[in-house]
Amino acid sequence: MMHIVINSCRPLVLRGRESHFEEVSAIQADRKIKTYFFSAFFILMLCHALPGHADVDGNSKVFKFNIPGQNMAASLVAFSETTGNQLSYPAALVKDIKSKPLSGSYTADQALQKLLASSGITYRHTDNDAIALAVDSSAQSSQPAQATTLKAMTVVGTAKTDDDPTAYKVTNASTATKTDTPIMETPYSVAVVSQQVFQDQQVIRVEDALKNVAGVQPGFSSGGLNETFMTRGFQTTNLYRDGFLLPAGFGASDAGRQTANIERIEVLKGPGSILYGRSDPGGVINLVTKRPQATPYHSLQQQFGSYDRYRTTADSTGAITPDDKLLYRVNLSYENANSFRDFVKTDSVFFAPSLTWNISDRTQANMNIEYNHFDNTIDSGIPVVGNRPAPVSRNLQVADPFNNKNVGDRTYVGFDWSHKFNDEWKFSHRFGAEFFDAAQDFTFFSGKPDAAGNLANAPSALPMGKRGFNNGNSQQQEYYTTLNLTGKFDTAMLKHTMLWGFDYFTIDNQFAGACCQAFPAGATFNIYNPTYLTAAPNIDFTPGPNRNMDWYGLYFQDQIKFPFDVYGNFGLRYDNAVGRDLTAGMVTTRDARVSPRGGLLWKPQEWLSVYGNYSENFGPSNSLFNGPGQQALPPQTSEEWELGAKTEFFNGRLSASFAYFDLTKQNLPVPDPINPNITRTVGEQESRGYEFQATGEILPGWKVIGAYTNLAYAKINKDVDFNGGPGDTGNRMFATPRNFGSLWNTYEFQNAGLRGLKLGGGVVASGQSQGTNQNDYQLPGYTTVNLLASYGLKVAGKRVTFQLNADNLLDKTYYQGTNSSTRVGINPPRTFLGSVKLEF
């Protein structure tokens, strides 16, 4: 039996020594937030500048690995080449065994443990500082044979396609360019929330993950029906799933999208029309889903927490055929939960199978399905009294329990395939369709209660806010397809990665509803002494209107590598969009737009990039919901200038970025003072500020993700009221605090005695913000503290992890945005979420 000894001849390279409510004034809150995040940034810089932890012995030296998933023998050679460690093992021990990919910074022991995980192989350090591999103790031992020393070997690995799944830092992203591009070479602001952050924070909702991203805050809209975010000061109502638009605000609910099959979230800050067409100007939020893998992986997790929350998730992937040509993945989840809010509950079933067919080395096809059944209730929020959210219990519900439901199904079917003509040219095609069907009963309210806390039951001429029914049934279908051709070629000293693309999107919505009907009993609803219906109301629905919108786009992008480490990105897109009222049989809007984008980045050092860019945006239609005889208005548009820098510290383990931006949105509709029945597009809003983002690993086991935003200027530049006056001109835009951010870090113990134990915690903070563009009430600033403790161990060869998260540990009352009117979202009190996870 051959016995292999791998002894690297490369010099050993060390890492060196690097290795309810408390009101706070806006000024005090801003100072506190600045102190938190500038202090954190200073500590990171100090850690980078001062000598790091000293190497006590050889086992604590840290190395950077980039080993793809491949045959175990090749991975072990790459391990030895990186660390200088001599490996000894019988050749038959690793025959036909594949290793998982390994990327990131680890000690030799940590790296070897990851490579050998679930392989049935164990190791030990010998007296001569070599490492001997053998069959795990649970298997029959093999008798050693005479060792045969081989010549030193050098292995050239394939290019990395995936980052370390346990890392916070992600090296490459595709949302900004539609190509797999290193973030350090992308002249735009890009942030990624990785799978490990999802796991450590036990992320269940998309909004929970995006608290880690600079410039992004969760919002509140349509009684919580839609997932809404404020991005760089502007409302973002649309999400993307692998680049497929998931529109909200057109008629279908977007709330409760499941995260069970999300691998990571990529956020492109600023206009994204060049690649995605009509979109919100603040940025593109792209949910990147899990794909089938050849390496088998299975997990089952049970979560349980405050307010009777129970959630079960499962993930399974592997090869169907022995040659790895056909791969599968299945994700599912079931969630059932009550809430701290009266009459609010969640009941959801989610199932997401996917298949990958590796037809050849150059051709691949993928198919994926998502099905989500939901039976939820809606949170209408709380009203406003004076210039603050009403001083009521956190559980108060204005919505009536007999008129509160959101029951339906959402199904997505997607197919994509790609073919490489050669190493330089690739063609890809994607098709997706989503179907939505829901029945929604919603209790709305508008305006403020009177001095006694009364809301009139609409319709009413009383001088107070009003409350009524807004119920409906909605069906919606969305179809999307895109064609892309990518080519790489050189012209003189320039290296090009060129992208040509075409996409088409269409959406149909059929609606029947009843808006603004009065309650059948009682003159008023008192927020301090609420009374509710004793039976469900009988409401007649009126069909329509049914609406359709479709658009197509043609786009071109050239990524250029210039001499002297200068990178350029230049592109142009043409969009053509048409909106229709199918009930009235009329075209409501025709919009066309050319949107340019360009950016330059200089990378003078491997760890430093500086960049600048300019982008224009093709925004929402101002005429889509027009009725017969109404004038067509031009669409909303935007433009942004941005300057920034990106850095990597601790030999690439930690990345940090800074961005300064100036984003202006034009063609906002305002009332015409001469004719109040029409509007004009003279409104303009602008946001200016800067952002910090840091993600990665400071020391082995110590991971961090932090974000800070200073939105110094977020104002309405132009507005007109019904009397021809300045309207809201000069006011601050709603839901735009001057300072906000988050800081989260975890530490996983490295020594043998505490190995498997992880502790972590962080803060989320925000300054005071305006509730409306009229600036007639404010949301107080807040700071919340969150904690984590987990412990992982091996049981019968399978990994079991116990975890507990505590959110809002100090039990503060704080508010999550508004609907830009008088409905205010309120966040949970102190909550706990525990879990048990089995992986094998």
Side-chain angles (χ1 to χ4, degrees):
M1 177 176 62
M2 174 178 270
H3 196 85
I4 296 178
V5 176
I6 302 178
N7 188 5
S8 174
C9 296
R10 293 176 59 183
L12 183 61
V13 180
L14 303 183
R15 284 192 157 285
R17 307 172 68 91
E18 305 169 338
S19 334
H20 100 36
F21 65 90
E22 178 184 0
E23 182 175 332
V24 182
S25 73
I27 297 176
Q28 290 174 323
D30 290 346
R31 286 176 178 172
K32 285 184 179 181
I33 297 167
K34 286 182 178 179
T35 300
Y36 286 141
F37 296 103
F38 279 117
S39 297
F41 187 75
F42 175 76
I43 291 171
L44 292 177
M45 301 303 101
L46 189 62
C47 288
H48 180 61
L50 295 178
H53 67 294
D55 292 331
V56 178
D57 54 54
N59 292 335
S60 64
K61 297 169 185 174
V62 179
F63 306 91
K64 189 171 184 178
F65 295 90
N66 183 14
I67 302 175
Q70 57 188 348
N71 292 330
M72 182 64 78
S75 293
L76 292 174
V77 171
F79 168 86
S80 181
E81 285 286 300
T82 301
T83 64
N85 288 108
Q86 177 179 296
L87 300 180
S88 176
Y89 58 89
L93 183 67
V94 299
K95 184 179 180 182
D96 298 327
I97 294 180
K98 290 187 176 182
S99 71
K100 295 180 179 180
L102 179 66
S103 177
S105 300
Y106 305 98
T107 65
D109 279 354
Q110 291 171 333
L112 200 53
Q113 289 168 11
K114 289 180 176 291
L115 282 177
L116 300 179
S118 303
S119 67
I121 302 173
T122 188
Y123 73 93
R124 64 181 178 86
H125 293 273
T126 63
D127 293 337
N128 61 353
D129 291 330
I131 299 177
L133 308 185
V135 175
D136 196 5
S137 57
S138 60
Q140 183 178 357
S141 301
S142 300
Q143 296 296 324
Q146 181 66 33
T148 302
T149 303
L150 302 179
K151 294 182 180 180
M153 301 174 63
T154 301
V155 177
V156 180
T158 58
K160 181 177 68 172
T161 57
D162 292 301
D163 290 89
D164 175 12
T166 66
Y168 276 17
K169 177 193 171 187
V170 174
T171 304
N172 287 25
S174 60
T175 299
T177 61
K178 283 196 174 180
T179 61
D180 190 28
T181 305
I183 294 175
M184 289 290 290
E185 298 174 7
T186 303
Y188 306 102
S189 182
V190 181
V192 182
V193 184
S194 72
Q195 177 61 207
Q196 190 60 48
V197 177
F198 272 69
Q199 295 179 20
D200 287 347
Q201 296 182 355
Q202 293 207 69
V203 169
I204 295 178
R205 298 286 178 262
V206 173
E207 65 185 44
D208 297 326
L210 291 174
K211 294 176 182 178
N212 299 286
V213 178
V216 182
Q217 278 196 306
F220 178 84
S221 178
S222 299
L225 279 174
N226 298 322
E227 288 181 307
T228 303
F229 305 92
M230 302 301 296
T231 309
R232 287 191 168 176
F234 292 94
Q235 196 169 46
T236 299
T237 59
N238 294 331
L239 300 176
Y240 293 80
R241 178 199 180 280
D242 295 327
F244 174 86
L245 175 62
L246 305 173
F250 194 85
S253 167
D254 195 42
R257 288 197 178 270
Q258 300 298 301
T259 59
N261 69 330
I262 297 179
E263 182 66 33
R264 64 184 183 274
I265 297 179
E266 297 182 359
V267 181
L268 166 65
K269 257 76 79 62
S273 284
I274 175 68
L275 298 177
Y276 300 97
R278 171 163 273 169
S279 60
D280 301 307
V284 172
I285 300 172
N286 189 27
L287 315 181
V288 181
T289 59
K290 298 176 181 178
R291 290 301 181 102
Q293 303 294 319
T295 303
Y297 173 80
H298 316 280
S299 70
L300 179 65
Q301 184 179 35
Q302 179 62 55
Q303 296 169 287
F304 44 90
S306 303
Y307 305 102
D308 300 321
R309 178 183 293 277
Y310 297 96
R311 182 174 183 254
T312 305
T313 58
D315 182 4
S316 179
T317 187
I320 297 177
T321 58
D323 57 1
D324 293 346
K325 282 189 175 294
L326 194 59
L327 313 176
Y328 81 94
R329 191 158 198 161
V330 177
N331 289 98
L332 60 87
S333 71
Y334 171 71
E335 181 182 5
N336 185 280
N338 291 321
S339 171
F340 72 103
R341 301 280 289 151
D342 289 343
F343 322 131
V344 172
K345 70 177 182 69
T346 299
D347 195 341
S348 175
V349 177
F350 177 75
F351 178 61
S354 58
L355 290 173
T356 293
W357 181 17
N358 295 309
I359 302 172
S360 70
D361 292 341
R362 297 187 180 276
T363 307
Q364 184 186 81
N366 302 278
M367 183 175 182
N368 48 90
I369 299 172
E370 289 183 5
Y371 170 73
N372 181 205
H373 173 76
F374 50 91
D375 183 357
N376 307 326
T377 50
I378 302 167
D379 187 356
S380 294
I382 64 172
V384 175
V385 172
N387 64 351
R388 288 290 189 272
V392 295
S393 170
R394 281 187 288 204
N395 67 302
L396 171 78
Q397 183 61 262
V398 177
D400 197 283
F402 281 98
N403 193 73
N404 188 357
K405 73 176 182 182
N406 180 29
V407 181
D409 300 277
R410 181 188 291 112
T411 304
Y412 170 86
V413 179
F415 172 79
D416 66 89
W417 66 276
S418 63
H419 175 73
K420 291 183 177 180
F421 300 100
N422 50 46
D423 291 340
E424 286 75 37
W425 291 89
K426 178 182 177 180
F427 175 83
S428 61
H429 168 243
R430 171 170 290 172
F431 170 81
E434 186 177 59
F435 308 94
F436 176 89
D437 187 352
Q440 299 161 343
D441 293 347
F442 174 54
T443 305
F444 80 95
F445 66 91
S446 60
K448 299 179 181 181
D450 64 12
N454 294 315
L455 286 166
N457 286 321
S460 173
L462 298 175
M464 62 180 73
K466 60 184 180 180
R467 176 174 175 259
F469 299 134
N470 185 5
N471 299 356
N473 297 327
S474 180
Q475 295 82 42
Q476 184 164 295
Q477 306 84 42
E478 305 138 26
Y479 303 92
Y480 168 84
T481 190
T482 182
L483 305 172
N484 288 308
L485 178 64
T486 306
K488 296 183 179 181
F489 57 91
D490 298 345
T491 57
M493 296 181 294
L494 308 182
K495 299 181 182 297
H496 301 261
T497 300
M498 199 166 284
L499 171 69
W500 292 267
F502 165 83
D503 57 25
Y504 173 79
F505 179 87
T506 184
I507 179 172
D508 292 285
N509 180 269
Q510 303 87 43
F511 178 80
C515 178
C516 314
Q517 293 195 21
F519 273 71
T524 60
F525 175 88
N526 190 278
I527 63 173
Y528 304 118
N529 186 24
T531 57
Y532 302 96
L533 297 176
T534 58
N538 185 15
I539 298 178
D540 294 327
F541 288 176
T542 301
N546 299 331
R547 300 189 186 277
N548 161 268
M549 180 175 63
D550 58 50
W551 81 74
Y552 68 86
L554 298 165
Y555 52 93
F556 162 80
Q557 174 185 267
D558 192 8
Q559 296 173 254
I560 306 174
K561 169 69 184 302
F562 295 94
F564 307 108
D565 296 305
V566 175
Y567 299 82
N569 181 293
F570 309 97
L572 199 67
R573 178 186 176 102
Y574 170 75
D575 278 294
N576 189 293
V578 179
R580 303 174 181 86
D581 183 335
L582 301 179
T583 303
M586 58 176 287
V587 173
T588 59
T589 181
R590 292 184 184 273
D591 298 326
R593 173 80 176 177
V594 175
S595 305
R597 181 178 77 165
L600 281 174
L601 178 144
W602 180 38
K603 194 176 181 183
Q605 300 290 334
E606 190 65 25
W607 55 271
L608 175 65
S609 300
V610 293
Y611 70 93
N613 66 65
Y614 171 78
S615 305
E616 293 187 8
N617 198 70
F618 177 49
S621 170
N622 287 318
S623 303
L624 179 61
F625 298 102
N626 275 2
Q630 290 184 297
Q631 66 181 124
L633 300 173
Q636 298 176 27
T637 59
S638 305
E639 58 184 27
E640 181 185 71
W641 295 92
E642 181 180 336
L643 296 172
K646 307 178 183 185
T647 62
E648 290 185 334
F649 301 106
F650 312 122
N651 289 337
R653 297 198 310 269
L654 180 75
S655 65
S657 63
F658 167 84
Y660 173 83
F661 60 89
D662 188 336
L663 175 57
T664 304
K665 185 176 183 178
Q666 302 106 347
N667 287 353
L668 293 170
V670 299
D672 190 295
I674 300 175
N675 185 352
N677 295 319
I678 64 175
T679 57
R680 299 188 299 168
T681 51
V682 299
E684 180 180 284
Q685 299 176 353
E686 181 181 4
S687 68
R688 293 197 301 263
Y690 56 87
E691 304 165 346
F692 286 106
Q693 185 91 33
T695 310
E697 193 172 29
I698 299 175
L699 297 173
W702 183 11
K703 297 173 183 176
V704 62
I705 181 168
Y708 168 72
T709 303
N710 178 275
L711 205 55
Y713 186 98
K715 292 190 176 182
I716 301 169
N717 291 339
K718 297 179 183 179
D719 190 33
V720 178
D721 61 23
F722 284 107
N723 299 315
D728 299 327
T729 301
N731 287 354
R732 190 167 181 91
M733 295 154 55
F734 86 99
T736 56
R738 185 177 296 271
N739 295 282
F740 62 92
S742 64
L743 182 62
W744 171 266
N745 69 142
T746 64
Y747 181 73
E748 187 170 3
F749 289 86
Q750 305 296 294
N751 57 308
L754 294 174
R755 185 169 293 145
L757 177 62
K758 180 188 293 186
L759 301 176
V763 296
V764 179
S766 175
Q768 176 179 281
S769 63
Q770 299 293 332
T772 66
N773 285 338
Q774 291 75 43
N775 293 184
D776 54 354
Y777 72 92
Q778 294 76 44
L779 302 184
Y782 64 86
T783 300
T784 65
V785 178
N786 310 308
L787 295 180
L788 151 76
S790 73
Y791 183 70
L793 70 161
K794 283 291 187 74
V795 178
K798 300 173 176 60
R799 182 170 179 82
V800 180
T801 303
F802 302 88
Q803 185 169 328
L804 178 65
N805 290 72
D807 291 339
N808 192 8
L809 187 69
L810 303 181
D811 200 24
K812 298 294 184 180
T813 297
Y814 66 106
Y815 305 94
Q816 182 173 298
T818 76
N819 69 329
S820 75
S821 183
T822 54
R823 295 204 300 270
V824 178
I826 187 168
N827 275 288
R830 182 191 299 116
T831 58
F832 297 94
L833 183 62
S835 71
V836 180
K837 186 176 184 179
L838 173 66
E839 298 174 278
F840 56 98

